Amino acid sequence: MTVSSNAEISTSSLSKRDFDVERVRGDFPGLHQMVHEKPLVYLDSAASAQKPQQVIDALSHFYAHDYANIHRGVHELSQRATKAYENARLKVQRFMGARSEREIIFLRGTTEGINLVAQTYGRANVSEGDEVLITTMEHHSNIVPWQMLCEEKGARLVVGPIDDRGELDMDAFEELIGPRTKLVALGHVSNALGTINPVKEIIELAHERGIPVLLDGAQAAPHISLDVVDLDCDFYTISGHKMFGPSGIGALYVRESILEKMPPYQGGGDMISSVSFEKTTYNRLPFRFEAGTPNIAGAVGLGAAIDYLNELGMESIAAYEEELLDYGTEALRAVPGLRMIGEASNKASVLSFVLEGIHPHDIGTILDQEGIAVRTGHHCAQPVMDRFGLAATARASLALYNTRGDIDRLIHALETVRKVFG
Ligand code: PLP
């Protein structure tokens, strides 16, 4: 695949081809290495994804040829860097289906996106006695910022329950949307369970009562075609490093009518229009929310990652991964003593499990010796672990470069785990 130049948006973004996983794998140098003398099988993309050569090249090209600070300089390099950064914003806007680039704020990632909303929209709109509604399956990033806000304001964090399959109990959730609910915030896809939440239905329910909805899209963006206008959500956050882009860059979508009224987040350079000791006026959207020198190259790299995803086509990626997830689910279910954690009917990417009598960290350590990278622990989702009465699980997470062969290697290595600890 080719990378479109930093200065222009990929016009082939809507072209669809048959999904050729071997060709895709060829784009990811990190996958082709030996770990403990075994060929690497990378099943930890939910934590962070490997990077295609196209992203690495875009970063390297930008630093080698176009790098300077943005929005300020009249000189050529500053102009080029500004163009590349703002072009990346357009790519994010289109990728997310937003109406305007004014609605896209660059920041470090999902965590910072949720904190921004809590500290600006939240502080301005949540008062004593109000409620913020989340779910049991949230990542800590979508729990702690709301806890901090609720503590400061004397508000209440309300938590929607899930069932044994890891699906949201929708009747209970609807009941919990009450007269004091000021915001609903939930993951589009759960990182610990893989559940794809019925977010459109939830947004409709919340909007009928005039309540805005934030979606944590960290685990959705690499796997599902996004359309914030169709979803009709009010806030949506993504992390570049989970979608094959650099770490330290992500984006927050905010509906423009809300963003216009939101107080600024951090103060500093670039977010102002004019400053005097008597009065500061703020810059126009979205710059008002981007104080200081941002991760310029990170944005360019994220733009290249989006080109890459568009080139493959999100629908093709989703169809390929769905088939792979089904294959992995069946294969794991057949392993004696294995219990799947998270069996929602609508899932993406994640295969979380425990093996009877074996600690997940021991599973992870043996798998590593076999060259297989999985994540073990609470996955920054301790409340969901508590819900299932567990301290930890082993989690294999799939991405567009994984194969049935990777899953076969995992299953084979789990036999070794069982022999060692069984
Ligand atoms: N939300 C979910 C569902 C996640 O899986 C993660 C990361 O694992 C985050 C939020 C936090 O993302 P980041 O660390 O990129 O800010």
Side-chain angles (χ1 to χ4, degrees), residues 3-8 57-71 73 75-87 91 296-298 300-301:
V3 187
S4 55
S5 103
N6 291 334
E8 60 194 39
D57 288 347
L59 284 169
S60 163
H61 183 277
F62 179 71
Y63 274 128
H65 300 283
D66 299 328
Y67 184 76
N69 210 333
I70 55 168
H71 295 153
H75 62 80
E76 170 67 17
L77 287 189
S78 179
Q79 301 275 330
R80 266 193 245 155
T82 302
K83 199 167 172 191
Y85 182 80
E86 289 307 324
N87 191 48
K91 290 178 188 183
I296 308 166
V300 172

Side-chain angles (χ1 to χ4, degrees), residues 277-312:
F277 289 120
E278 288 70 41
K279 185 173 170 56
T280 290
T281 54
Y282 302 125
N283 205 343
R284 63 182 200 276
L285 298 177
F287 310 112
R288 194 186 304 165
F289 292 91
E290 292 181 4
T293 301
N295 184 351
I296 308 166
V300 172
L302 175 56
I306 286 173
D307 285 343
Y308 187 83
L309 288 168
N310 285 339
E311 190 84 23
L312 291 173

Side-chain angles (χ1 to χ4, degrees), residues 109-111 139 141 191 216 218-219 239 241-242:
T110 298
T111 303
H139 187 280
S141 293
N191 70 308
D216 165 352
Q219 296 296 341
S239 292
H241 70 101
K242 303 213 194 257

